[in-house]
Amino acid sequence: NWSINRKINAKNRLKTGIMADVYDLSVEDSILLSDDIWFKEVDFTGNTTLLRAYTQWQHRFNKKLTLNAGLHAAWFLWNDSQALEPRLGLDYQLLPQHRLSLGLGRHSQLQPLPVYFSKSDRATDIENQQNESLDFIRSNHFVASWSYAIRPDFRIKLEAYHQILSDLAVDADSSAFSMINQGADFGFTNRVGLVNEGTGTNTGLELTIEKSLKEGFYFLATASVFDSKYKGSDGIERNTFFNSNYVTNFLIGKEFQLSKKWVITLDAKVTYAGGRRYTPFDLEVSKARGRGVRDDSQIFEAQYNPYFSTNFKFGFRNNEAKFSQIWAIDLVNLTNNSNEFQKSYNASLERVTTSYQRGFFPNVLYQILF
């Protein structure tokens, strides 16, 4: 990467740069079907490059109003995908402690890299080659925020956003599948014959209350409510896998200075969030077939119970001239809350069972920071 940042005069500043990401890939994904019998879903070795360039101009109209305008470009050499993205932001100092900001812009990103190289022995040659030509995922972003600096170390920020997603990878034939729902588990569904015809939206409101570290004390409270939807090639709008609807976090910490070099640290974190989405099982069909069968009429309509976790960390920090050392014990899920992980169909019991995430777990750690 390379960039140059120049102050032209008191009102204008220009920044421009280029970035190159070079991928040297060996992608292999296999499934064990039975003893020593493997099915190879992905087997690719090769390299490719993603090139990006940007320029940003900042203009201060006066002490209160600032404009940020930019242009970002991307070029994926593997299949010649190209993107040109204008972006614009306005920042207005309404009062000495109050600031309003508006932003809009176009953003693009690659599909998950393994998707470009997926193959299936059950697909045609044309379907097996289709993923290689997938274009960027594209999104139009709209953001508005208000911030209130109560003190230099204490601020409140409220932000609303809306994102319009397009060119999501979906099946060529009518289906509910979309690549937007992939990646949260342990891998990506091996899917070939995909096309850039899916859409989606994300809309939300976020509140942040932050006291930065001063005199050894800090805290951070965040709350987010949101709605995340998508459409597959069947054109039906549904919840995305990630549409848990709300997330709240509260962090607080205190440092006690024992000497110039030694500090005691106390930190706590509480998280409460909506449960992950899932597609429920059709119990009668599952019993008849002797295996778990999802109810496709309720894709991502069901939710696991809300997630709750409390962590507490106690530690010592030793500050030396060129490095620091930390000894700590992190008590994860201190209340031993039973958070649902996933539901599975048990064919022998002919019912749906629930497995849970890890309960209380003490984690001892040592770090060296240079």
Side-chain angles (χ1 to χ4, degrees), residues 275-332:
R276 292 185 299 122
R277 295 276 174 175
Y278 70 95
T279 303
F281 289 96
D282 187 320
L283 194 55
E284 295 306 315
V285 175
S286 297
K287 288 179 181 178
R289 297 185 182 180
R291 59 179 177 84
V293 178
R294 303 281 182 175
D295 184 354
D296 287 342
S297 68
Q298 301 185 62
I299 294 173
F300 298 136
E301 287 299 308
Q303 271 186 286
Y304 293 111
N305 291 331
Y307 174 90
F308 177 77
S309 179
T310 300
N311 298 352
F312 178 77
K313 185 166 70 174
F314 171 78
F316 289 93
R317 187 176 72 245
N318 170 230
N319 297 318
E320 298 293 341
K322 295 184 178 180
F323 67 95
S324 297
Q325 299 178 85
I326 297 174
W327 296 263
I329 180 167
D330 191 4
L331 305 177
V332 180

Side-chain angles (χ1 to χ4, degrees), residues 134-174:
L134 285 172
D135 204 348
F136 289 104
I137 302 168
R138 304 178 194 275
S139 176
N140 292 323
H141 291 200
F142 305 89
V143 181
S145 67
W146 162 75
S147 61
Y148 175 32
I150 301 172
R151 298 196 309 257
D153 64 323
F154 190 19
R155 73 181 183 107
I156 298 175
K157 184 177 181 180
L158 185 65
E159 181 174 277
Y161 63 87
H162 182 60
Q163 300 172 350
I164 303 174
L165 310 176
S166 61
D167 295 327
L168 297 170
V170 296
D171 287 333
D173 298 327
S174 179

